[in-house]
Amino acid sequence: MRSAITVSLVPQAKGGPFVFWDGLESACESASALGFDAIEIFPPAADAIDRPALHALLARHSLRVAAFGTGGGWVIHQWHLLHGDPAVRKSAREFIRQIIGLAAEFGAPAIIGSMQGRVDAGLPRAQALEWLGDALEDLGGHAERLGAPLLYEPLNRYETNLFNTLGDAAAFLDSLRTRNVKLLADLFHMNIEESSPADALRDAARHIGHVHFADSNRRAVGFGHTDIAPILAALRDIGYAGYLSGEILPLPDSHAAAAQTARAFQTLVSTAHA
Ligand code: LER
Ligand code: MN
């Protein structure tokens, strides 16, 4: 498994679960000093990223990009894939498509988290699931042609009423034609929704493509009360070789949150696995 830490480039997302907020240069410097393998980027839009500059920055710090989030489309524009207005659904899909293109250039997947939206009053659930499935077929196929998976993230009940558990999301992915959409297992959401996070990971093993590494209170692993050992044992047992990415609140401050994530990764994952 590899380690990653998040950086938000979206000021409107302030208060959200991202560790670094002061730009890519500063985030890469800190991530590299703490020994992370990668950064996970939350951009305002695909065209906000200077691609040659980012390639150079990553090379300078021996870092990779673990993933790009697409939630800027929701935070900045209030777009999502299940909006009642077809023009807004289209804008949401195009926003994600552009980020898939950006991510593929860095060998990384894009994440559909908050951009999935929710089933609003008056929208039949079957219609919502048809729209979601159609978007995932289209965007999953697009990502596949560019050589990267697409990540779909089940969220807790306070953020979506679509799929809250890995099992329900996995069953939905099984109903699609595309095999290129993988699950993002966020340990914060799973702490709220799963009876057993470790069992949920084992049951959805073949679908797991990325992990958000967070404690029960969405702080760095070790700063809450999640029993992390059985979760890491499950990830090892299923042969998960992707990222554990610290998508967490920058508490008590960005540096301390990142340093604790690095410490947790090194003591619980690297050394146990060496
Ligand atoms: C996104 O990765 C996520 O976990 C959502 O809760 C958005 O904040
Ligand atoms: Mn997440």
Side-chain angles (χ1 to χ4, degrees):
M1 286 180 260
R2 290 164 290 167
S3 62
I5 194 78
T6 46
V7 49
S8 169
L9 307 177
V10 179
Q12 297 94 321
K14 209 79 198 175
F18 305 103
V19 172
F20 293 120
W21 292 86
D22 295 327
L24 290 170
E25 297 235 0
S26 155
C28 284
E29 214 164 283
S30 302
S32 156
L34 288 166
F36 283 99
D37 298 310
I39 55 168
E40 179 177 316
I41 303 175
F42 190 75
D47 62 9
I49 301 293
D50 179 337
R51 299 176 191 209
L54 180 56
H55 279 297
L57 185 62
L58 294 166
R60 182 144 36 94
H61 290 288
S62 302
L63 288 166
R64 299 182 61 83
V65 181
F68 282 89
T70 64
W74 164 247
V75 172
I76 299 170
H77 307 285
Q78 279 76 58
W79 293 338
H80 64 80
L81 292 171
L82 302 183
H83 199 282
D85 179 346
V88 174
R89 292 201 299 279
K90 183 158 182 256
S91 298
R93 205 188 279 204
E94 291 316 308
F95 184 90
I96 296 167
R97 195 188 310 280
Q98 296 303 315
I99 293 184
I100 289 170
L102 165 71
E105 199 181 308
F106 290 87
I111 298 168
I112 297 182
S114 48
M115 284 293 267
Q116 67 191 268
R118 53 186 301 118
V119 190
D120 285 326
L123 177 65
R125 186 170 177 88
Q127 176 66 83
L129 295 186
E130 193 186 316
W131 286 344
L132 179 68
D134 186 61
L136 292 180
E137 297 282 12
D138 173 23
L139 296 169
H142 181 63
E144 188 166 24
R145 286 186 290 280
L146 297 177
L150 175 65
L151 299 171
Y152 173 74
E153 181 175 19
L155 304 174
N156 74 69
R157 66 191 68 186
Y158 307 106
E159 297 188 38
T160 189
N161 52 7
L162 283 164
F163 300 112
N164 305 123
T165 63
L166 294 187
D168 286 348
F172 183 67
L173 295 187
D174 281 337
S175 76
L176 303 180
R177 286 184 305 282
T178 178
R179 298 271 71 91
N180 195 46
V181 182
K182 302 293 174 199
L183 289 179
L184 195 175
D186 183 322
L187 302 182
F188 166 73
H189 298 304
M190 291 172 65
N191 172 65
I192 296 171
E193 298 294 346
E194 306 286 358
S195 315
S196 160
D199 289 351
L201 288 165
R202 289 179 204 278
D203 291 346
R206 70 187 186 290
H207 291 283
I208 307 296
H210 194 70
V211 172
H212 277 160
F213 192 52
D215 215 315
S216 53
N217 48 6
R218 217 168 204 181
R219 292 178 60 171
V221 168
F223 283 171
H225 60 72
T226 291
D227 186 7
I228 197 73
I231 293 173
L232 292 172
L235 287 169
R236 270 187 212 106
D237 289 350
I238 66 172
Y240 177 71
Y243 286 100
L244 297 184
S245 183
E247 190 200 53
I248 50 171
L249 299 166
L251 296 173
D253 56 58
S254 296
H255 178 78
Q260 172 60 25
T261 299
R263 201 158 40 238
F265 183 84
Q266 277 147 18
T267 54
L268 298 165
V269 184
S270 304
T271 50
H273 215 42

